[in-house]
Amino acid sequence: MQPVMLALWSLLLLWGLATPCQELLETVGTLARIDKDELGKAIQNSLVGEPILQNVLGSVTAVNRGLLGSGGLLGGGGLLGHGGVFGVVEELSGLKIEELTLPKVLLKLLPGFGVQLSLHTKVGMHCSGPLGGLLQLAAEVNVTSRVALAVSSRGTPILILKRCSTLLGHISLFSGLLPTPLFGVVEQMLFKVLPGLLCPVVDSVLGVVNELLGAVLGLVSLGALGSVEFSLATLPLISNQYIELDINPIVKSVAGDIIDFPKSRAPAKVPPKKDHTSQVMVPLYLFNTMFGLLQTNGALDMDITPELVPSDVPLTTTDLAALLPEALGKLPLHQQLLLFLRVREAPTVTLHNKKALVSLPANIHVLFYVPKGTPESLFELNSVMTVRAQLAPSATKLHISLSLERLSVKVASSFTHAFDGSRLEEWLSHVVGAVYAPKLNVALDVGISLPKVLNINFSNSVLEIVENAVVLTVAS
């Protein structure tokens, strides 16, 4: 056997034996844990044909009402419709399929392999009886399949049908007369026909669900900042309760170049998943990357001019002189001030003790307007602004809004007398809180994109800030 094949089989064997850890998990990527209930719901929705599938799959379900509707498996030209397998049966025996009830979905995860999927349904039929009149029949059928979880050529999770069988249950005669020998003929015919009929239904369902799983990965726009592309970092893991995907977020500039900000050396500690819930973990790396992109694009810089400042915010030489009379007392009074705020280094995000804080190192250059002249410099300050981040999930994003928590300054240079910069902190906090923080929130409006996990809506999720990560948990 060639070395490449040996390596491939080794990888598959390792994956087959691997199952997610139930203890605290250390990771630096984005983690998604899909509860089995959520997978079952996706399968059920694929049969019903809800709008959520129409939005994602378009041509597959948008024709009419999903896999079981007109234009689907039961519709004209479909697998179970006119001209399909049952059409042949109708010509041979006069039997016509009238109804296929919506299957009841039973799902069991198989650790290290995939899924055992059972669809329990009832097939309604009618035909002309040998003694005249109309016969109405119904047969209960259970379709059982083993489905492997693998990785497609695109690098997306994929469910593959490995084995499928049908078990014919009770057959009921609702109306008409059917001699016992003919009843046996109908039963024999159904034994032969149903496996070929209903196993393709399973394959079609898996095709719909695979489209949803494939949407986990892909390119998500960050507006003017660039984009983030999600890819699988490792092979999927599976336990008896959930499927775990370790997702690597790759951030790209608008030009398509990969932007690799340093990853945190301290891994995140993710709490165990509760039953009947799904989880997505947003790592510290994505927060630092978001603010790093804003800083390199100049979106964190601001010129604070008098027309941007509310009337209740002091921004004149008179206000400064009152704070530092010994240093600035000789300034011409009532002249308006101009502040150039520049963030020279990438901000640092801290996720710790249920709080999200962002530290922005900024240079603040203070000038004053001279009548009929160019602004004159007063002094420059080196500051560190610590802002608190309020996090709020929506259906597909994690939104961030900032408010100033504290500000510290040191004098870098002064064109007047030397002074203690800390005496300006309260004044600057007032200015920054009123003008600069709202500007940051506009820049952050793009939010942090969440991977699309079976189209789970995270707007009502429970948000938890853990060490170096944010965990979103949504009930199935």
Side-chain angles (χ1 to χ4, degrees), residues 86-286:
F86 274 152
V88 177
V89 174
E90 181 182 355
E91 291 177 8
L92 293 176
S93 66
L95 185 69
K96 185 175 181 181
I97 301 305
E98 191 174 49
E99 181 184 8
L100 181 67
T101 60
L102 181 67
K104 179 182 179 181
V105 176
L106 296 176
L107 191 71
K108 180 182 179 182
L109 298 186
L110 306 175
F113 178 76
V115 179
Q116 179 175 300
L117 173 62
S118 296
L119 302 178
H120 184 79
T121 186
K122 182 180 287 188
V123 182
M125 301 156 278
H126 72 260
C127 64
S128 298
L131 303 179
L134 186 68
L135 296 178
Q136 288 188 312
L137 302 160
E140 294 184 2
V141 185
N142 195 57
V143 185
T144 302
S145 55
R146 283 175 65 88
V147 180
L149 176 64
V151 178
S152 72
S153 58
R154 294 170 48 222
T156 60
I158 186 172
L159 295 169
I160 302 173
L161 181 61
K162 290 296 185 180
R163 192 171 71 216
C164 179
S165 61
T166 59
L167 180 63
L168 187 62
H170 181 66
I171 299 176
S172 304
L173 177 63
F174 291 113
S175 66
L177 297 174
L178 184 64
T180 302
L182 289 181
F183 195 93
V185 170
V186 171
E187 189 176 47
Q188 291 281 334
M189 180 196 64
L190 292 177
F191 269 118
K192 292 180 180 179
V193 170
L194 288 177
L197 268 172
L198 298 181
C199 286
V201 173
V202 176
D203 234 349
S204 298
V205 168
L206 295 181
V208 173
V209 177
N210 283 335
E211 289 287 341
L212 288 173
L213 286 173
V216 171
L217 311 181
L219 204 63
V220 180
S221 174
L222 295 176
L225 298 179
S227 60
V228 57
E229 183 176 4
F230 295 106
S231 64
L232 280 182
T234 61
L235 293 169
L237 302 177
I238 189 165
S239 74
N240 60 357
Q241 289 295 323
Y242 61 90
I243 296 170
E244 182 174 289
L245 304 177
D246 191 359
I247 301 170
N248 183 33
I250 302 171
V251 181
K252 297 183 178 182
S253 67
V254 175
D257 300 322
I258 294 177
I259 299 172
D260 192 17
F261 287 96
K263 291 182 172 63
S264 171
R265 293 183 179 181
K269 295 185 180 295
V270 184
K273 189 189 81 67
K274 296 179 181 179
D275 289 345
H276 310 296
T277 64
S278 293
Q279 274 183 343
V280 162
M281 185 213 72
V282 184
L284 177 63
Y285 166 72
L286 273 183

Side-chain angles (χ1 to χ4, degrees), residues 11 32 38 100 129 258 279 299 309 312 337 347 375 394 469:
L11 273 176
E38 207 64 51
L100 181 67
I258 294 177
Q279 274 183 343
V309 178
D312 61 335
L337 298 174
S394 66

Side-chain angles (χ1 to χ4, degrees), residues 48-67:
V48 176
E50 290 292 335
I52 187 171
L53 286 180
Q54 294 176 11
N55 293 339
V56 176
L57 302 178
S59 61
V60 175
T61 60
V63 175
N64 279 293
R65 293 188 180 88
L67 292 171

